[in-house]
Amino acid sequence: MTSTTAALPLDSVNRLDCDAFVAALGRAFEHSPWVAQGAWAARPFGSIDALHAAMITVVRRAPRAVQIAFLGVHPELAGREAEAGSMTNESVREQASAGLDALSRAEMAELRLLNLRYRARHGFPFIVAVRQHGKAEIFELLRRRMERDTDTELIEAMAQIEAITRLRVRDLVRPA
């Protein structure tokens, strides 16, 4: 994914006030600018990885209920948000990169059913770093991960969020 705006140099990011920091980086975490707001105080960041780590720490330190609510704001794969056109630009590009914007009717029907079953079982949508997988692999991961217990899936969903947001932060920030 490439950002629609030029990546900011890290030294500039380190000088931003809180509002500007959230405006610049808040979208790295789906509909959750509170993550950037929480990480702002950890400035200055010595690297892009340190910046990302500070942001992930905010999410990981949140109470479980907040984490589950955080996961809940993520779109289902090719789900109702995609149909309604309400996904973030980042999610649109990411899902398109895996071919999820060009599913056959049969694939769409299967994905809807799998998304519904997954959410009913775990209480949050299936989350995967789609930029790292192809369409067939995503379907297989969804089928396999659906059978896990929810505690294991919460850990995996958070690991996937880490992978997704690492790429997004790298799209938004460049070395100084």
Side-chain angles (χ1 to χ4, degrees):
M1 170 186 86
T2 42
S3 178
T4 56
T5 59
L8 292 170
L10 182 60
D11 59 346
S12 295
V13 168
N14 281 328
R15 291 190 304 268
L16 295 174
D17 67 27
C18 187
D19 289 342
F21 185 87
V22 171
L25 298 172
R27 70 181 190 261
F29 286 73
E30 198 83 15
H31 301 295
S32 300
W34 60 270
V35 176
Q37 186 174 28
W40 177 79
R43 295 167 309 115
F45 304 104
S47 67
I48 296 169
D49 287 339
L51 164 61
H52 180 252
M55 295 177 89
I56 283 294
T57 297
V58 171
V59 175
R60 291 202 180 268
R61 288 186 177 160
R64 180 182 172 107
V66 172
Q67 290 177 352
I68 290 174
F70 165 72
L71 295 175
V73 302
H74 288 76
E76 291 180 343
L77 299 179
R80 64 185 179 278
E81 297 92 345
E83 292 174 10
S86 62
M87 287 194 314
T88 63
N89 291 336
E90 291 80 10
S91 287
V92 169
R93 285 191 296 271
E94 289 162 357
Q95 289 197 26
S97 75
L100 298 179
D101 62 337
L103 298 172
S104 69
R105 284 186 183 190
E107 290 170 328
M108 182 61 80
E110 180 183 7
L111 191 53
R112 281 188 183 130
L113 178 61
L114 290 170
N115 279 333
L116 183 66
R117 288 180 52 213
Y118 183 94
R119 187 183 287 267
R121 178 172 174 94
H122 297 298
F124 49 86
F126 174 71
I127 297 174
V128 65
V130 295
R131 287 167 65 180
Q132 298 175 342
H133 304 285
K135 179 174 58 173
E137 187 179 9
I138 291 168
F139 272 77
E140 179 54 34
L141 286 168
L142 178 49
R143 287 186 207 99
R144 190 171 356 132
R145 286 178 46 195
M146 184 171 326
E147 302 307 319
R148 293 180 175 175
D149 66 89
T150 298
D151 288 339
T152 300
E153 241 343 82
L154 179 60
I155 292 167
E156 182 61 31
M158 296 301 282
Q160 293 298 311
I161 291 292
E162 189 167 344
I164 293 164
T165 58
R166 179 178 294 111
L167 294 171
R168 288 181 178 184
V169 169
R170 288 180 182 163
D171 288 342
L172 296 170
V173 181
R174 61 181 163 80

PDB file of all heavy atoms in Angstrom, residues 10-40:
ATOM      1  N   LEU A  10      10.821  11.082  10.122  1.00  0.00           N
ATOM      2  CA  LEU A  10      10.702  10.778  11.543  1.00  0.00           C
ATOM      3  C   LEU A  10      11.053  11.976  12.421  1.00  0.00           C
ATOM      4  O   LEU A  10      10.375  12.225  13.422  1.00  0.00           O
ATOM      5  CB  LEU A  10      11.583   9.577  11.916  1.00  0.00           C
ATOM      6  CG  LEU A  10      11.499   9.129  13.378  1.00  0.00           C
ATOM      7  CD1 LEU A  10      10.085   8.709  13.752  1.00  0.00           C
ATOM      8  CD2 LEU A  10      12.490   8.001  13.627  1.00  0.00           C
ATOM      9  N   ASP A  11      12.062  12.744  12.048  1.00  0.00           N
ATOM     10  CA  ASP A  11      12.413  13.901  12.884  1.00  0.00           C
ATOM     11  C   ASP A  11      11.274  14.917  12.925  1.00  0.00           C
ATOM     12  O   ASP A  11      11.042  15.558  13.956  1.00  0.00           O
ATOM     13  CB  ASP A  11      13.742  14.537  12.459  1.00  0.00           C
ATOM     14  CG  ASP A  11      13.783  15.017  11.025  1.00  0.00           C
ATOM     15  OD1 ASP A  11      12.893  14.648  10.220  1.00  0.00           O
ATOM     16  OD2 ASP A  11      14.718  15.758  10.687  1.00  0.00           O
ATOM     17  N   SER A  12      10.528  15.049  11.859  1.00  0.00           N
ATOM     18  CA  SER A  12       9.357  15.932  11.863  1.00  0.00           C
ATOM     19  C   SER A  12       8.245  15.359  12.738  1.00  0.00           C
ATOM     20  O   SER A  12       7.579  16.092  13.469  1.00  0.00           O
ATOM     21  CB  SER A  12       8.829  16.139  10.446  1.00  0.00           C
ATOM     22  OG  SER A  12       9.771  16.833   9.657  1.00  0.00           O
ATOM     23  N   VAL A  13       8.041  14.052  12.662  1.00  0.00           N
ATOM     24  CA  VAL A  13       7.034  13.391  13.500  1.00  0.00           C
ATOM     25  C   VAL A  13       7.344  13.638  14.976  1.00  0.00           C
ATOM     26  O   VAL A  13       6.448  13.927  15.777  1.00  0.00           O
ATOM     27  CB  VAL A  13       6.974  11.875  13.194  1.00  0.00           C
ATOM     28  CG1 VAL A  13       6.157  11.123  14.230  1.00  0.00           C
ATOM     29  CG2 VAL A  13       6.418  11.648  11.791  1.00  0.00           C
ATOM     30  N   ASN A  14       8.616  13.561  15.331  1.00  0.00           N
ATOM     31  CA  ASN A  14       9.022  13.756  16.730  1.00  0.00           C
ATOM     32  C   ASN A  14       8.742  15.175  17.231  1.00  0.00           C
ATOM     33  O   ASN A  14       8.638  15.389  18.438  1.00  0.00           O
ATOM     34  CB  ASN A  14      10.511  13.427  16.906  1.00  0.00           C
ATOM     35  CG  ASN A  14      10.747  11.938  16.984  1.00  0.00           C
ATOM     36  OD1 ASN A  14       9.912  11.185  17.475  1.00  0.00           O
ATOM     37  ND2 ASN A  14      11.902  11.510  16.498  1.00  0.00           N
ATOM     38  N   ARG A  15       8.607  16.129  16.328  1.00  0.00           N
ATOM     39  CA  ARG A  15       8.362  17.525  16.719  1.00  0.00           C
ATOM     40  C   ARG A  15       6.883  17.918  16.709  1.00  0.00           C
ATOM     41  O   ARG A  15       6.531  19.017  17.114  1.00  0.00           O
ATOM     42  CB  ARG A  15       9.147  18.473  15.807  1.00  0.00           C
ATOM     43  CG  ARG A  15      10.662  18.401  16.009  1.00  0.00           C
ATOM     44  CD  ARG A  15      11.389  19.529  15.279  1.00  0.00           C
ATOM     45  NE  ARG A  15      11.100  19.594  13.854  1.00  0.00           N
ATOM     46  CZ  ARG A  15      11.809  18.979  12.905  1.00  0.00           C
ATOM     47  NH1 ARG A  15      12.867  18.260  13.233  1.00  0.00           N
ATOM     48  NH2 ARG A  15      11.488  19.109  11.636  1.00  0.00           N
ATOM     49  N   LEU A  16       6.015  17.034  16.263  1.00  0.00           N
ATOM     50  CA  LEU A  16       4.597  17.362  16.167  1.00  0.00           C
ATOM     51  C   LEU A  16       3.958  17.511  17.541  1.00  0.00           C
ATOM     52  O   LEU A  16       4.283  16.753  18.464  1.00  0.00           O
ATOM     53  CB  LEU A  16       3.850  16.274  15.391  1.00  0.00           C
ATOM     54  CG  LEU A  16       4.205  16.095  13.919  1.00  0.00           C
ATOM     55  CD1 LEU A  16       3.496  14.884  13.342  1.00  0.00           C
ATOM     56  CD2 LEU A  16       3.881  17.356  13.123  1.00  0.00           C
ATOM     57  N   ASP A  17       3.018  18.462  17.651  1.00  0.00           N
ATOM     58  CA  ASP A  17       2.228  18.504  18.884  1.00  0.00           C
ATOM     59  C   ASP A  17       1.241  17.336  18.835  1.00  0.00           C
ATOM     60  O   ASP A  17       1.121  16.648  17.811  1.00  0.00           O
ATOM     61  CB  ASP A  17       1.543  19.866  19.065  1.00  0.00           C
ATOM     62  CG  ASP A  17       0.465  20.163  18.034  1.00  0.00           C
ATOM     63  OD1 ASP A  17      -0.161  19.229  17.477  1.00  0.00           O
ATOM     64  OD2 ASP A  17       0.224  21.359  17.787  1.00  0.00           O
ATOM     65  N   CYS A  18       0.557  17.095  19.926  1.00  0.00           N
ATOM     66  CA  CYS A  18      -0.291  15.911  20.032  1.00  0.00           C
ATOM     67  C   CYS A  18      -1.366  15.870  18.946  1.00  0.00           C
ATOM     68  O   CYS A  18      -1.567  14.829  18.312  1.00  0.00           O
ATOM     69  CB  CYS A  18      -0.915  15.824  21.426  1.00  0.00           C
ATOM     70  SG  CYS A  18      -1.810  14.281  21.703  1.00  0.00           S
ATOM     71  N   ASP A  19      -2.050  16.971  18.713  1.00  0.00           N
ATOM     72  CA  ASP A  19      -3.114  16.978  17.704  1.00  0.00           C
ATOM     73  C   ASP A  19      -2.574  16.674  16.310  1.00  0.00           C
ATOM     74  O   ASP A  19      -3.188  15.903  15.556  1.00  0.00           O
ATOM     75  CB  ASP A  19      -3.846  18.322  17.701  1.00  0.00           C
ATOM     76  CG  ASP A  19      -4.702  18.521  18.937  1.00  0.00           C
ATOM     77  OD1 ASP A  19      -5.013  17.533  19.635  1.00  0.00           O
ATOM     78  OD2 ASP A  19      -5.063  19.689  19.212  1.00  0.00           O
ATOM     79  N   ALA A  20      -1.458  17.261  15.964  1.00  0.00           N
ATOM     80  CA  ALA A  20      -0.863  17.025  14.645  1.00  0.00           C
ATOM     81  C   ALA A  20      -0.352  15.584  14.528  1.00  0.00           C
ATOM     82  O   ALA A  20      -0.458  14.959  13.468  1.00  0.00           O
ATOM     83  CB  ALA A  20       0.267  18.019  14.385  1.00  0.00           C
ATOM     84  N   PHE A  21       0.202  15.064  15.610  1.00  0.00           N
ATOM     85  CA  PHE A  21       0.680  13.681  15.647  1.00  0.00           C
ATOM     86  C   PHE A  21      -0.484  12.723  15.387  1.00  0.00           C
ATOM     87  O   PHE A  21      -0.393  11.811  14.560  1.00  0.00           O
ATOM     88  CB  PHE A  21       1.329  13.416  17.017  1.00  0.00           C
ATOM     89  CG  PHE A  21       1.967  12.077  17.167  1.00  0.00           C
ATOM     90  CD1 PHE A  21       3.277  11.863  16.780  1.00  0.00           C
ATOM     91  CD2 PHE A  21       1.272  11.017  17.736  1.00  0.00           C
ATOM     92  CE1 PHE A  21       3.881  10.621  16.948  1.00  0.00           C
ATOM     93  CE2 PHE A  21       1.866   9.776  17.906  1.00  0.00           C
ATOM     94  CZ  PHE A  21       3.178   9.580  17.505  1.00  0.00           C
ATOM     95  N   VAL A  22      -1.597  12.944  16.080  1.00  0.00           N
ATOM     96  CA  VAL A  22      -2.776  12.097  15.903  1.00  0.00           C
ATOM     97  C   VAL A  22      -3.320  12.246  14.486  1.00  0.00           C
ATOM     98  O   VAL A  22      -3.690  11.250  13.848  1.00  0.00           O
ATOM     99  CB  VAL A  22      -3.848  12.418  16.964  1.00  0.00           C
ATOM    100  CG1 VAL A  22      -5.155  11.705  16.667  1.00  0.00           C
ATOM    101  CG2 VAL A  22      -3.345  12.047  18.358  1.00  0.00           C
ATOM    102  N   ALA A  23      -3.342  13.459  13.970  1.00  0.00           N
ATOM    103  CA  ALA A  23      -3.818  13.675  12.603  1.00  0.00           C
ATOM    104  C   ALA A  23      -2.940  12.942  11.585  1.00  0.00           C
ATOM    105  O   ALA A  23      -3.445  12.391  10.607  1.00  0.00           O
ATOM    106  CB  ALA A  23      -3.865  15.167  12.286  1.00  0.00           C
ATOM    107  N   ALA A  24      -1.646  12.924  11.832  1.00  0.00           N
ATOM    108  CA  ALA A  24      -0.711  12.296  10.888  1.00  0.00           C
ATOM    109  C   ALA A  24      -0.689  10.780  11.000  1.00  0.00           C
ATOM    110  O   ALA A  24      -0.537  10.087   9.989  1.00  0.00           O
ATOM    111  CB  ALA A  24       0.697  12.847  11.115  1.00  0.00           C
ATOM    112  N   LEU A  25      -0.830  10.244  12.213  1.00  0.00           N
ATOM    113  CA  LEU A  25      -0.618   8.809  12.423  1.00  0.00           C
ATOM    114  C   LEU A  25      -1.834   8.048  12.921  1.00  0.00           C
ATOM    115  O   LEU A  25      -1.822   6.818  12.964  1.00  0.00           O
ATOM    116  CB  LEU A  25       0.530   8.603  13.411  1.00  0.00           C
ATOM    117  CG  LEU A  25       1.877   9.134  12.940  1.00  0.00           C
ATOM    118  CD1 LEU A  25       2.911   9.062  14.040  1.00  0.00           C
ATOM    119  CD2 LEU A  25       2.344   8.381  11.714  1.00  0.00           C
ATOM    120  N   GLY A  26      -2.875   8.744  13.289  1.00  0.00           N
ATOM    121  CA  GLY A  26      -4.049   8.092  13.858  1.00  0.00           C
ATOM    122  C   GLY A  26      -4.672   7.053  12.958  1.00  0.00           C
ATOM    123  O   GLY A  26      -5.215   6.055  13.429  1.00  0.00           O
ATOM    124  N   ARG A  27      -4.579   7.244  11.650  1.00  0.00           N
ATOM    125  CA  ARG A  27      -5.215   6.302  10.732  1.00  0.00           C
ATOM    126  C   ARG A  27      -4.451   4.986  10.584  1.00  0.00           C
ATOM    127  O   ARG A  27      -4.954   4.045   9.964  1.00  0.00           O
ATOM    128  CB  ARG A  27      -5.437   6.962   9.381  1.00  0.00           C
ATOM    129  CG  ARG A  27      -4.191   7.242   8.590  1.00  0.00           C
ATOM    130  CD  ARG A  27      -4.586   7.927   7.274  1.00  0.00           C
ATOM    131  NE  ARG A  27      -3.490   8.028   6.366  1.00  0.00           N
ATOM    132  CZ  ARG A  27      -2.766   9.129   6.201  1.00  0.00           C
ATOM    133  NH1 ARG A  27      -3.039  10.208   6.889  1.00  0.00           N
ATOM    134  NH2 ARG A  27      -1.781   9.144   5.323  1.00  0.00           N
ATOM    135  N   ALA A  28      -3.266   4.896  11.130  1.00  0.00           N
ATOM    136  CA  ALA A  28      -2.520   3.636  11.059  1.00  0.00           C
ATOM    137  C   ALA A  28      -3.245   2.527  11.826  1.00  0.00           C
ATOM    138  O   ALA A  28      -3.102   1.347  11.510  1.00  0.00           O
ATOM    139  CB  ALA A  28      -1.108   3.806  11.610  1.00  0.00           C
ATOM    140  N   PHE A  29      -4.021   2.918  12.827  1.00  0.00           N
ATOM    141  CA  PHE A  29      -4.786   1.977  13.629  1.00  0.00           C
ATOM    142  C   PHE A  29      -6.264   2.241  13.363  1.00  0.00           C
ATOM    143  O   PHE A  29      -6.796   3.266  13.767  1.00  0.00           O
ATOM    144  CB  PHE A  29      -4.447   2.133  15.120  1.00  0.00           C
ATOM    145  CG  PHE A  29      -3.101   1.576  15.471  1.00  0.00           C
ATOM    146  CD1 PHE A  29      -1.944   2.236  15.087  1.00  0.00           C
ATOM    147  CD2 PHE A  29      -2.981   0.384  16.167  1.00  0.00           C
ATOM    148  CE1 PHE A  29      -0.690   1.722  15.385  1.00  0.00           C
ATOM    149  CE2 PHE A  29      -1.735  -0.139  16.469  1.00  0.00           C
ATOM    150  CZ  PHE A  29      -0.584   0.532  16.089  1.00  0.00           C
ATOM    151  N   GLU A  30      -6.892   1.329  12.683  1.00  0.00           N
ATOM    152  CA  GLU A  30      -8.257   1.437  12.169  1.00  0.00           C
ATOM    153  C   GLU A  30      -9.235   2.126  13.120  1.00  0.00           C
ATOM    154  O   GLU A  30      -9.553   1.587  14.178  1.00  0.00           O
ATOM    155  CB  GLU A  30      -8.760   0.022  11.875  1.00  0.00           C
ATOM    156  CG  GLU A  30      -9.936  -0.053  10.977  1.00  0.00           C
ATOM    157  CD  GLU A  30      -9.569   0.011   9.509  1.00  0.00           C
ATOM    158  OE1 GLU A  30      -8.399  -0.156   9.145  1.00  0.00           O
ATOM    159  OE2 GLU A  30     -10.489   0.250   8.718  1.00  0.00           O
ATOM    160  N   HIS A  31      -9.717   3.287  12.733  1.00  0.00           N
ATOM    161  CA  HIS A  31     -10.728   4.027  13.501  1.00  0.00           C
ATOM    162  C   HIS A  31     -10.366   4.156  14.973  1.00  0.00           C
ATOM    163  O   HIS A  31     -11.245   4.149  15.838  1.00  0.00           O
ATOM    164  CB  HIS A  31     -12.107   3.368  13.369  1.00  0.00           C
ATOM    165  CG  HIS A  31     -12.611   3.278  11.973  1.00  0.00           C
ATOM    166  ND1 HIS A  31     -12.907   4.389  11.206  1.00  0.00           N
ATOM    167  CD2 HIS A  31     -12.860   2.200  11.190  1.00  0.00           C
ATOM    168  CE1 HIS A  31     -13.327   3.989  10.015  1.00  0.00           C
ATOM    169  NE2 HIS A  31     -13.298   2.678   9.978  1.00  0.00           N
ATOM    170  N   SER A  32      -9.086   4.276  15.280  1.00  0.00           N
ATOM    171  CA  SER A  32      -8.631   4.295  16.676  1.00  0.00           C
ATOM    172  C   SER A  32      -7.537   5.335  16.899  1.00  0.00           C
ATOM    173  O   SER A  32      -6.401   4.995  17.257  1.00  0.00           O
ATOM    174  CB  SER A  32      -8.136   2.900  17.075  1.00  0.00           C
ATOM    175  OG  SER A  32      -9.165   1.950  16.938  1.00  0.00           O
ATOM    176  N   PRO A  33      -7.852   6.618  16.740  1.00  0.00           N
ATOM    177  CA  PRO A  33      -6.840   7.649  16.959  1.00  0.00           C
ATOM    178  C   PRO A  33      -6.321   7.687  18.399  1.00  0.00           C
ATOM    179  O   PRO A  33      -5.247   8.228  18.648  1.00  0.00           O
ATOM    180  CB  PRO A  33      -7.560   8.949  16.581  1.00  0.00           C
ATOM    181  CG  PRO A  33      -9.011   8.642  16.684  1.00  0.00           C
ATOM    182  CD  PRO A  33      -9.147   7.178  16.357  1.00  0.00           C
ATOM    183  N   TRP A  34      -7.038   7.063  19.325  1.00  0.00           N
ATOM    184  CA  TRP A  34      -6.593   7.010  20.720  1.00  0.00           C
ATOM    185  C   TRP A  34      -5.244   6.304  20.847  1.00  0.00           C
ATOM    186  O   TRP A  34      -4.500   6.572  21.795  1.00  0.00           O
ATOM    187  CB  TRP A  34      -7.649   6.342  21.613  1.00  0.00           C
ATOM    188  CG  TRP A  34      -8.007   4.928  21.246  1.00  0.00           C
ATOM    189  CD1 TRP A  34      -8.990   4.518  20.395  1.00  0.00           C
ATOM    190  CD2 TRP A  34      -7.387   3.729  21.728  1.00  0.00           C
ATOM    191  NE1 TRP A  34      -9.018   3.147  20.307  1.00  0.00           N
ATOM    192  CE2 TRP A  34      -8.052   2.632  21.118  1.00  0.00           C
ATOM    193  CE3 TRP A  34      -6.337   3.476  22.608  1.00  0.00           C
ATOM    194  CZ2 TRP A  34      -7.698   1.309  21.373  1.00  0.00           C
ATOM    195  CZ3 TRP A  34      -5.992   2.147  22.855  1.00  0.00           C
ATOM    196  CH2 TRP A  34      -6.662   1.092  22.238  1.00  0.00           C
ATOM    197  N   VAL A  35      -4.924   5.438  19.900  1.00  0.00           N
ATOM    198  CA  VAL A  35      -3.634   4.742  19.948  1.00  0.00           C
ATOM    199  C   VAL A  35      -2.501   5.743  19.720  1.00  0.00           C
ATOM    200  O   VAL A  35      -1.539   5.787  20.495  1.00  0.00           O
ATOM    201  CB  VAL A  35      -3.586   3.594  18.916  1.00  0.00           C
ATOM    202  CG1 VAL A  35      -2.205   2.939  18.901  1.00  0.00           C
ATOM    203  CG2 VAL A  35      -4.677   2.564  19.214  1.00  0.00           C
ATOM    204  N   ALA A  36      -2.621   6.556  18.687  1.00  0.00           N
ATOM    205  CA  ALA A  36      -1.598   7.572  18.427  1.00  0.00           C
ATOM    206  C   ALA A  36      -1.539   8.567  19.575  1.00  0.00           C
ATOM    207  O   ALA A  36      -0.446   8.961  20.014  1.00  0.00           O
ATOM    208  CB  ALA A  36      -1.886   8.289  17.105  1.00  0.00           C
ATOM    209  N   GLN A  37      -2.685   8.955  20.074  1.00  0.00           N
ATOM    210  CA  GLN A  37      -2.721   9.908  21.188  1.00  0.00           C
ATOM    211  C   GLN A  37      -1.970   9.343  22.400  1.00  0.00           C
ATOM    212  O   GLN A  37      -1.198  10.050  23.044  1.00  0.00           O
ATOM    213  CB  GLN A  37      -4.159  10.234  21.561  1.00  0.00           C
ATOM    214  CG  GLN A  37      -4.277  11.307  22.609  1.00  0.00           C
ATOM    215  CD  GLN A  37      -5.727  11.700  22.840  1.00  0.00           C
ATOM    216  OE1 GLN A  37      -6.645  10.906  22.643  1.00  0.00           O
ATOM    217  NE2 GLN A  37      -5.928  12.934  23.247  1.00  0.00           N
ATOM    218  N   GLY A  38      -2.157   8.058  22.676  1.00  0.00           N
ATOM    219  CA  GLY A  38      -1.475   7.435  23.800  1.00  0.00           C
ATOM    220  C   GLY A  38       0.017   7.287  23.601  1.00  0.00           C
ATOM    221  O   GLY A  38       0.792   7.311  24.564  1.00  0.00           O
ATOM    222  N   ALA A  39       0.446   7.130  22.350  1.00  0.00           N
ATOM    223  CA  ALA A  39       1.879   6.942  22.060  1.00  0.00           C
ATOM    224  C   ALA A  39       2.642   8.256  21.987  1.00  0.00           C
ATOM    225  O   ALA A  39       3.869   8.268  22.121  1.00  0.00           O
ATOM    226  CB  ALA A  39       2.041   6.185  20.738  1.00  0.00           C
ATOM    227  N   TRP A  40       1.957   9.360  21.781  1.00  0.00           N
ATOM    228  CA  TRP A  40       2.601  10.654  21.574  1.00  0.00           C
ATOM    229  C   TRP A  40       3.590  10.982  22.700  1.00  0.00           C
ATOM    230  O   TRP A  40       4.689  11.483  22.441  1.00  0.00           O
ATOM    231  CB  TRP A  40       1.545  11.750  21.440  1.00  0.00           C
ATOM    232  CG  TRP A  40       2.108  13.123  21.302  1.00  0.00           C
ATOM    233  CD1 TRP A  40       2.636  13.681  20.166  1.00  0.00           C
ATOM    234  CD2 TRP A  40       2.227  14.112  22.318  1.00  0.00           C
ATOM    235  NE1 TRP A  40       3.067  14.962  20.414  1.00  0.00           N
ATOM    236  CE2 TRP A  40       2.819  15.252  21.734  1.00  0.00           C
ATOM    237  CE3 TRP A  40       1.880  14.155  23.662  1.00  0.00           C
ATOM    238  CZ2 TRP A  40       3.085  16.410  22.452  1.00  0.00           C
ATOM    239  CZ3 TRP A  40       2.130  15.311  24.386  1.00  0.00           C
ATOM    240  CH2 TRP A  40       2.726  16.418  23.781  1.00  0.00           C
TER     241      TRP A  40
END
